[in-house]
Amino acid sequence: MNITIHDELRSFVDPLTEIEYAALEKSLLAEGCRDALVLWNDVLIDGHNRYAICQKHGIPFKTVQNDSFGSIEDVKLWMIDNHLARRSVSDFQRGLLAIRKKQIVAARKAQRAAEAPEQGQDAEPEDTSPPWNKREDIARAVRVSPNTISQIERIQKTAAPQLVEAIRRGDISINAAATVAQLPEPAQVAAAAGGRKQLQEAARQVREQRAASRPRKEGDDGEPVDTAARMRAEIAALKDRVATLLTENEVLKQRLAALGGESA
């Protein structure tokens, strides 16, 4: 059987963690490959991890064809929707996938608008099922908050790879990572290397520096009034703690799902 691995498609979605990969390998060795790999002609579009493990251990597998795609962008959109439907996808992964879908939809819209006058046609109406042009619509579609989408966009633009990996491991929340992503890349790398405590400390320092740079009001005695700034810092720290606990809970859910033998 001729199966082609398209490098761009293989790396389009987040890779499994080491724990998830090991759990999948254990499941395949014990139960075999129960779910068919999905091909577009001879290109593998779903089941890259299963395929690699089956090849490594000589495990038999089945394939199914999906020839409904007209382009590589169609395949990517299908892959995004396919992964968003899975239970083990974290909020960070959901946000990244949603942003990628938004980018593909926006690029298609721009291309249609550019080609329509040349073909003597009106530009095709924008796809609105669901709409992918507003942050609020995107957030609602993937079940996260608009603020989370905004933070993930910031992370995508400025975060060092080591910081992104720390988010995936559950060492730092999306909220705190978006704050740390404002630092120069060497500082981000150093914080990520220091683990969870160092990342939290880096986020705290960025917030304190940001609060200190804001203009302060003066009280009746002419002294700066710091109460509001302190309260904002305390609230931010509490939100960070809650977000970190939620992230850790999500990572544990993913690990439990992987141990349960979910395919990828």
Side-chain angles (χ1 to χ4, degrees), residues 75-93:
V75 175
K76 290 178 179 178
L77 290 173
W78 178 85
M79 290 176 69
I80 289 171
D81 291 338
N82 192 39
H83 278 76
L84 285 174
R86 294 178 176 173
R87 291 175 298 172
S88 59
V89 180
S90 68
D91 284 351
F92 181 66
Q93 291 171 318

Side-chain angles (χ1 to χ4, degrees), residues 70-115:
S71 67
I72 196 73
E73 285 75 22
D74 289 338
V75 175
K76 290 178 179 178
L77 290 173
W78 178 85
M79 290 176 69
I80 289 171
D81 291 338
N82 192 39
H83 278 76
L84 285 174
R86 294 178 176 173
R87 291 175 298 172
S88 59
V89 180
S90 68
D91 284 351
F92 181 66
Q93 291 171 318
R94 286 183 178 281
L96 280 180
L97 291 170
I99 292 168
R100 288 170 186 167
K101 183 168 183 175
K102 174 189 173 184
Q103 291 167 343
I104 293 173
V105 171
R108 282 188 161 184
K109 179 182 177 182
Q111 183 178 1
R112 287 197 302 266
E115 292 175 350

Side-chain angles (χ1 to χ4, degrees), residues 20-239:
E20 291 168 340
Y21 191 92
L24 177 60
E25 186 172 30
K26 181 179 179 181
S27 173
L28 289 172
L29 287 169
E31 303 175 16
C33 189
R34 296 176 298 177
D35 299 321
L37 310 182
V38 184
L39 302 178
W40 174 42
N41 299 320
D42 64 342
V43 177
L44 183 62
I45 61 175
D46 183 59
H48 290 87
N49 294 300
R50 281 176 283 143
Y51 178 66
I53 294 170
C54 287
Q55 289 290 93
K56 176 182 176 181
H57 296 287
I59 301 171
F61 58 86
K62 296 179 181 179
T63 64
V64 62
Q65 276 286 338
N66 189 335
D67 56 3
S68 62
F69 308 116
S71 67
I72 196 73
E73 285 75 22
D74 289 338
V75 175
K76 290 178 179 178
L77 290 173
W78 178 85
M79 290 176 69
I80 289 171
D81 291 338
N82 192 39
H83 278 76
L84 285 174
R86 294 178 176 173
R87 291 175 298 172
S88 59
V89 180
S90 68
D91 284 351
F92 181 66
Q93 291 171 318
R94 286 183 178 281
L96 280 180
L97 291 170
I99 292 168
R100 288 170 186 167
K101 183 168 183 175
K102 174 189 173 184
Q103 291 167 343
I104 293 173
V105 171
R108 282 188 161 184
K109 179 182 177 182
Q111 183 178 1
R112 287 197 302 266
E115 292 175 350
E118 298 177 4
Q119 300 173 356
Q121 301 175 350
D122 294 331
E124 293 182 28
E126 183 180 356
D127 181 11
T128 57
S129 298
W132 289 92
N133 59 329
K134 294 182 180 178
R135 184 175 291 140
E136 291 76 11
D137 297 327
I138 295 168
R140 190 179 303 111
V142 296
R143 303 190 299 278
V144 299
S145 70
N147 188 47
T148 296
I149 292 294
S150 177
Q151 291 169 342
I152 293 174
E153 286 177 328
R154 188 188 310 162
I155 291 167
Q156 188 184 43
K157 292 176 183 177
T158 62
Q162 292 85 345
L163 179 58
V164 174
E165 184 59 31
I167 302 170
R168 293 183 177 131
R169 289 196 309 267
D171 289 347
I172 187 171
S173 68
I174 296 172
N175 181 31
T179 301
V180 175
Q182 299 175 50
L183 292 170
E185 184 168 337
Q188 295 182 41
V189 173
R196 184 173 301 171
K197 289 185 178 180
Q198 187 61 38
L199 286 164
Q200 292 175 345
E201 177 64 18
R204 184 187 65 79
Q205 290 177 0
V206 171
R207 289 198 180 96
E208 287 183 353
Q209 291 171 5
R210 196 166 55 194
S213 66
R214 295 193 187 105
R216 301 183 186 180
K217 295 181 180 180
E218 292 187 351
D220 294 336
D221 57 358
E223 292 296 322
V225 178
D226 292 329
T227 304
R230 285 199 301 271
M231 290 181 66
R232 283 194 297 268
E234 290 174 4
I235 291 171
L238 288 172
K239 285 182 177 178

